[in-house]
């Protein structure tokens, strides 16, 4: 309908019609207004959007997307912009479809243990809403004790679905895809599709699985039906210190092999402990340890205590130099807040860092940690490790000083070497942050050309014009 228009004219027409359809205040196009949309949580990459639109409903989202499609304008979905892979950055320009106004919890149905939400609902709002009913949405991207607004209190369900996000509790509850019962999505041409509903199983191809983790490259998520689960009465935290980093890695497998089912298993190495203990979130973590494991179990009061005692015993038998069972909720809160603050606290041990996100089979944890350390050391850089150990999701933080020429590049290189090692150890180049823009060149390390072609063919079925979040995932 509009292919004859120049890009500039097409954009002007888009803005005019978008304002008619969504209202004046639902369209931003002023240069200054657009500045904040140039980046997401990934500071290394920028892109200029032509406009941002703020639909309030499925219908408005569909109208905005159809309009952009008809003018051949790229479409980039955006929740809260906390992506750490450049996923929400409009690197090829285009229109950003923000879900900031699609922020309603539509229904809570405890008989079916589901909640229906709009895509822009903030992850933690669901938990705040459900708390008084004794229920929770188990994907918490932060830590329930955190005193600060981490990504859990900022990121949206739509963004979580697009990245198939995980969190501390995913060892027990799974990742985002395991919580989804239904999706309402807007296809690139503006058509709406409703997939699944409240039921557990669906017939035919698993389209929810396909769309989850597709990083906004196939369709936009407008609404979702998510699983909710009862909250346990009691949680107990166990903190174990180790004099050897590799031993801490091995102890993770030993705990799991014992049949225990912790909710969370997090590892912090010496440098990560030093960072948090140097700042305002110091929680009395043992600075002399080479690594600590923080484990949380849940259940009825006696059940949780028994489980904690069992886990503590396994840790002692597997090289822990000291184990503390923390029952005092205030102390536990402090410890988990310290864990949560580890990324931010890195400033106390180095001016800049690159954070990577790769996974490995749990049994290879010790090996992967040694590789990460060595990748930094051979470039004269320190690497801190703080990560979801239970599901083998590494987050090495490679410290560098951008004032020293070439250090940033070395840090990026070390990160890539670590991710390549993750693949060689049988893991992946991303556990939860997505491929986005930052890791697309590593995709061929994981897949052969034929497999990447298969994925591209699927993209073409959904998005024949290549308008959805262009420049992401594929090298
Ligand atoms: C401090 C901090 C802590 C973090 N902790 C974690 C963690 O524990 N676990 C974890 O998994 N991640 C974590 N992240 C990464 C990030 O928060 C997640 O990837 C999150 O899911 C992104 O949500 P968002 O709403 O900010 O999405 P955005 O950053 O806005 O977008 C992310 C991607 O989703 C797409 N998208 C957004 N909305 C939609 C939609 N409605 N339909 C289709 N595509 C869409 C975007 O195009 C982009 O590709 C953390 C980030 C920060 C900054």
């Amino acid at each position: 309908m509009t292919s004859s228009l120049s890009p500039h004219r097409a954009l002007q027409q888009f803005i005019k019609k978008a304002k008619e359809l969504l209202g004046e205040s639902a369209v931003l196009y002023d240069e200054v207004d657009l500045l904040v949309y140039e980046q997401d949580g990934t500071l290394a990459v920028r892109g200029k959007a032509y406009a941002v639109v703020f639909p309030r409903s499925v219908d408005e989202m569909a109208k905005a997307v159809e309009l952009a499609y008809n003018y051949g304008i790229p479409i980039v979905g955006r929740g809260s912009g906390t992506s750490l892979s450049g996923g929400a950055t409009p690197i090829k320009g285009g229109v950003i479809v923000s879900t900031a106004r699609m922020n309603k919890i539509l229904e809570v149905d405890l008989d079916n243990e589901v909640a229906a939400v709009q895509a822009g609902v903030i992850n933690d709002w669901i938990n705040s809403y459900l708390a008084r009913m004794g229920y929770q949405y188990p994907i918490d991207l932060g830590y329930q004790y955190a005193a600060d607004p981490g990504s859990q209190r900022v990121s949206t369900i739509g963004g979580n679905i697009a990245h198939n996000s995980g969190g501390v509790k995913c060892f027990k509850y799974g990742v985002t895809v395991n919580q989804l019962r239904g999706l309402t999505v807007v296809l690139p041409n503006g058509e709406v599709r409703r997939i699944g509903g409240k039921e557990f199983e669906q017939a035919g191809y698993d389209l929810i699985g396909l769309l989850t983790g597709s990083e906004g490259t196939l369709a936009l998520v407008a609404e979702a039906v998510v699983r909710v689960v009862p909250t346990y009465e009691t949680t107990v935290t166990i903190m174990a210190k180790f004099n050897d980093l590799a031993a801490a890695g091995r102890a993770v497998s030993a705990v799991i092999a014992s049949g225990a089912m912790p909710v969370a298993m997090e590892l912090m190495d010496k440098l990560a402990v030093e960072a948090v203990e140097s700042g305002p979130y110091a929680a009395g973590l043992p600075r002399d340890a080479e690594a600590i494991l923080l484990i949380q179990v849940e259940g009825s009061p006696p059940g949780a205590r028994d489980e904690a005692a069992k886990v503590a015993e396994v840790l002692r038998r597997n090289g822990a130099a000291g184990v503390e069972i923390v029952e005092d909720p205030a102390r536990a809160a402090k410890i988990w807040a310290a864990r949560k603050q580890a990324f931010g606290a890195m400033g106390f041990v180095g001016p800049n860092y690159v954070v990577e996100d790769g996974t490995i089979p749990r049994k290879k944890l010790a090996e992967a940690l040694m590789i990460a350390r060595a990748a930094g050391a051979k470039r004269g850089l320190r690497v801190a490790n703080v990560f979801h150990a239970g599901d083998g999701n590494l987050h090495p933080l490679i410290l560098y000083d951008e004032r020293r020429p070439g250090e940033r590049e070395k840090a990026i290189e070390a990160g890539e070497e670590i991710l390549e090692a993750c693949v060689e150890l049988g893991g992946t180049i991303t556990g939860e942050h997505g491929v986005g823009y930052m890791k697309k060149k590593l995709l061929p390390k994981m897949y052969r050309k034929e497999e990447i072609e298969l994925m591209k063919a699927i993209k073409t079925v959904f998005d024949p014009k290549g308008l959805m979040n262009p420049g992401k995932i594929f090298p």
Side-chain angles (χ1 to χ4, degrees):
M1 132 181 171
T2 49
S3 53
S4 54
L5 293 178
S6 70
H8 178 70
R9 186 91 188 105
L11 179 64
Q12 282 185 326
Q13 294 269 321
F14 172 85
I15 290 169
K16 182 172 170 287
K17 291 193 179 165
K19 286 201 285 188
E20 283 164 17
L21 289 169
L22 309 185
E24 285 274 338
S25 72
V27 187
L28 294 182
Y29 48 92
D30 183 89
E31 285 252 345
V32 176
D33 289 337
L34 296 179
L35 267 180
V36 287
Y37 296 91
E38 283 188 9
Q39 280 187 311
D40 55 29
T42 320
L43 302 182
V45 53
R46 275 173 185 263
K48 268 186 192 302
Y50 311 149
V52 185
V53 293
F54 298 89
R56 289 178 192 79
S57 62
V58 178
D59 187 45
E60 285 193 359
M61 183 187 258
K63 282 180 180 155
V65 169
E66 183 186 6
L67 198 57
Y69 179 86
N70 285 341
Y71 286 111
I73 299 173
I75 299 152
V76 182
R78 186 170 176 117
S80 296
T82 64
S83 166
L84 294 174
S85 57
T89 299
I91 58 156
K92 299 215 183 251
V95 167
I96 288 181
V97 179
S98 164
T99 56
R101 291 184 182 176
M102 296 178 69
N103 56 8
K104 291 189 187 57
I105 295 176
L106 301 167
E107 184 192 359
V108 172
D109 173 354
L110 293 185
D111 289 338
N112 285 303
E113 295 196 322
V114 293
V117 297
Q118 286 188 304
V121 164
I122 303 296
N123 175 296
D124 197 46
W125 292 356
I126 309 179
N127 279 334
S128 307
Y129 193 79
L130 292 173
R132 63 197 141 106
M133 303 170 201
Y135 274 77
Q136 60 172 319
Y137 172 61
I139 300 297
D140 56 341
L141 281 74
Y143 303 87
Q144 67 265 48
Y145 294 125
D148 79 319
S151 147
Q152 169 191 7
R153 298 190 191 170
V154 185
S155 69
T156 63
I157 289 295
N160 297 173
I161 294 169
H163 273 173
N164 194 13
S165 295
V168 214
K169 294 184 188 165
C170 63
F171 172 62
K172 178 168 178 182
Y173 292 102
V175 289
T176 300
V177 71
N178 306 112
Q179 323 305 325
L180 298 175
R181 296 279 183 269
L183 287 181
T184 301
V185 297
V186 175
L187 299 178
N189 63 1
E191 287 176 20
V192 175
R193 295 287 179 272
R194 294 182 202 279
I195 304 152
K198 293 181 177 179
E199 66 279 14
F200 258 90
E201 301 288 345
Q202 276 120 40
Y205 294 142
D206 179 6
L207 292 179
I208 292 181
L210 177 62
L211 288 158
T212 308
S214 65
E215 305 188 25
T217 61
L218 301 180
L220 291 188
V221 176
E223 291 177 0
V225 180
V226 301
R227 171 173 92 125
V228 300
V229 296
T231 310
Y232 280 92
E233 244 175 289
T234 307
T235 59
V236 181
T237 293
I238 304 126
M239 177 164 66
K241 77 178 216 184
F242 290 82
N243 295 329
D244 175 31
L245 178 60
R250 286 192 293 273
V252 172
S253 296
V255 169
I256 291 158
S258 75
M261 180 47 87
V263 194
M265 281 187 97
E266 300 285 303
L267 189 150
M268 293 171 76
D269 70 4
K270 193 179 181 66
L271 191 51
V273 169
E274 187 189 326
V276 287
E277 287 300 308
S278 307
Y281 283 88
L285 306 181
R287 287 181 105 134
D288 58 333
E290 278 303 316
I292 61 168
L293 279 181
L294 294 176
I295 299 176
Q296 191 183 67
V297 294
E298 64 182 8
S300 62
R305 272 186 218 117
D306 284 356
E307 179 93 333
K310 184 173 156 191
V311 169
E313 188 44 38
V314 177
L315 292 166
R316 284 191 198 100
R317 274 193 273 114
N318 284 276
V323 182
E324 181 188 347
I325 297 183
V326 187
E327 283 196 55
D328 171 23
R331 170 135 172 79
K334 223 172 161 188
I335 290 173
W336 285 104
R339 157 61 186 94
K340 166 69 178 163
Q341 286 304 316
F343 282 23
M346 283 300 141
F348 290 102
V349 289
N352 308 92
Y353 67 81
V354 168
V355 59
E356 287 298 0
D357 155 52
T359 67
I360 31 118
R362 241 175 352 237
K363 258 197 144 359
K364 303 277 173 76
L365 256 184
E367 206 176 324
L369 289 170
M370 293 304 112
I371 292 173
R373 199 172 254 190
K378 76 179 184 204
R379 295 174 175 88
L381 303 175
R382 292 183 301 165
V383 178
N385 285 289
V386 44
F387 62 96
H388 313 312
D391 40 339
N393 187 187
L394 295 179
H395 288 325
L397 298 130
I398 305 138
L399 302 180
Y400 69 96
D401 185 341
E402 69 180 4
R403 292 165 299 187
R404 295 199 192 117
E407 267 205 1
R408 181 176 165 274
E409 290 68 25
K410 279 190 202 165
I412 291 173
E413 207 179 88
E416 288 175 0
E417 186 178 317
I418 296 168
L419 292 181
E420 283 177 32
C422 287
V423 175
E424 276 157 30
L425 292 172
T428 68
I429 55 168
T430 171
E432 53 185 23
H433 297 169
V435 178
Y437 177 75
M438 298 303 288
K439 293 189 193 172
K440 59 183 191 169
K441 76 171 184 197
L442 292 175
L443 203 69
K445 302 275 174 201
M446 278 208 67
Y447 299 107
R448 289 176 307 150
K449 192 167 162 280
E450 295 79 356
E451 289 143 3
I452 294 177
E453 288 309 320
L454 186 59
M455 289 189 215
K456 284 186 172 168
I458 291 170
K459 174 156 169 76
T460 307
V461 171
F462 278 80
D463 181 23
K465 288 193 186 178
L467 292 178
M468 299 300 285
N469 210 359
K472 308 292 166 62
I473 300 184
F474 300 110

